[in-house]
Amino acid sequence: MGLKEVILIGIALSMDALGLSISLGINPYLVKKNKIRFILSFAFFQFFFLFLGGIAGRFFDTYIVSIPNMIGGIIVSAIGVIMIISVFNNNDKDDSILIKKSMYMVLGMSVSVDALVVGFTAFHEVIRILIFLDSVIVGLITLLICTTGFFLCRYARKINFICKYADLLGGLILLILGIEMIIF
């Protein structure tokens, strides 16, 4: 597998994380520290799951292909539903589910499960050091794309309607993204 294919795979894998970055970025409760943690979580888990899938792929290729997308989709959908429900409750900044420390891991893992599948199916025949290097490239691509997504949200937050309904909009985006992960 050449560098061009790895870059294309990295871009494709990071699209879920980009959608999640945008839906998180419009939320007024997240500060710069939270956004950096989400970006690092998304990039790390894209790298780690792709690497893990590449190493373990020849053993699990036939058994786990369809299960990870469903698990990730259910988790992302559940967080979306929780965000939508919190809109109708009087939640303060301290009650926002997105600023809880466990969310960095949960969301990072849930959007990176497809990287595990790609590792199982496409990267398991590559030499181990190349699996590591390819995984690093995919992680860096995810880091760059998610950072771009959060920067784009600076402009979206200036629109009063988006800022007012950020949790509802973010929850709906997460719900749709989760359903898409389950179905496709």
Side-chain angles (χ1 to χ4, degrees):
M1 183 173 305
L3 182 62
K4 179 182 171 184
E5 289 85 9
V6 172
I7 290 172
L8 290 174
I9 287 172
I11 292 169
L13 287 175
S14 63
M15 287 299 111
D16 287 349
L18 174 64
L20 194 54
S21 296
I22 291 171
S23 67
L24 293 171
I26 60 175
N27 190 306
Y29 297 134
L30 294 179
V31 294
K32 186 176 184 178
K33 174 180 72 167
N34 301 117
K35 294 174 185 179
I36 290 171
R37 287 180 181 169
F38 277 117
I39 290 168
L40 292 175
S41 172
F42 296 160
F44 171 75
F45 283 111
Q46 288 284 5
F47 152 76
F48 182 68
F49 281 8
L50 187 66
F51 181 69
L52 185 66
I55 296 297
R58 64 179 63 119
F59 300 111
F60 297 104
D61 194 15
T62 54
Y63 300 110
I64 303 184
V65 171
S66 63
I67 295 172
N69 282 338
M70 185 170 291
I71 293 170
I74 290 170
I75 292 170
V76 170
S77 295
I79 293 170
V81 168
I82 291 169
M83 284 178 65
I84 292 169
I85 290 171
S86 72
V87 168
F88 299 107
N89 296 336
N90 288 333
N91 66 335
D92 297 330
K93 179 179 178 181
D94 297 331
D95 294 336
S96 179
I97 188 173
L98 296 176
I99 59 173
K100 296 189 186 317
K101 292 184 181 185
S102 61
M103 282 297 108
Y104 304 119
M105 245 176 100
V106 170
L107 289 177
M109 289 170 49
S110 65
V111 298
S112 301
V113 174
D114 53 348
L116 187 66
V117 175
V118 170
F120 281 146
T121 58
F123 283 76
H124 68 277
E125 295 180 5
V126 180
I127 301 171
R128 287 186 182 179
I129 188 69
L130 292 178
I131 293 172
F132 179 78
L133 294 175
D134 291 346
S135 300
V136 167
I137 291 169
V138 169
L140 290 173
I141 289 170
T142 303
L143 182 92
L144 177 67
I145 288 177
C146 290
T147 302
T148 304
F150 276 114
F151 276 121
L152 291 175
C153 290
R154 286 183 176 179
Y155 302 107
R157 288 178 64 189
K158 291 181 181 179
I159 301 170
N160 190 28
F161 175 79
I162 291 176
C163 199
K164 185 176 180 181
Y165 296 105
D167 278 345
L168 182 62
L169 184 61
L172 288 173
I173 290 171
L174 290 179
L175 184 61
I176 292 168
L177 181 64
I179 291 170
E180 183 265 332
M181 288 172 69
I182 292 169
I183 293 174
F184 301 107

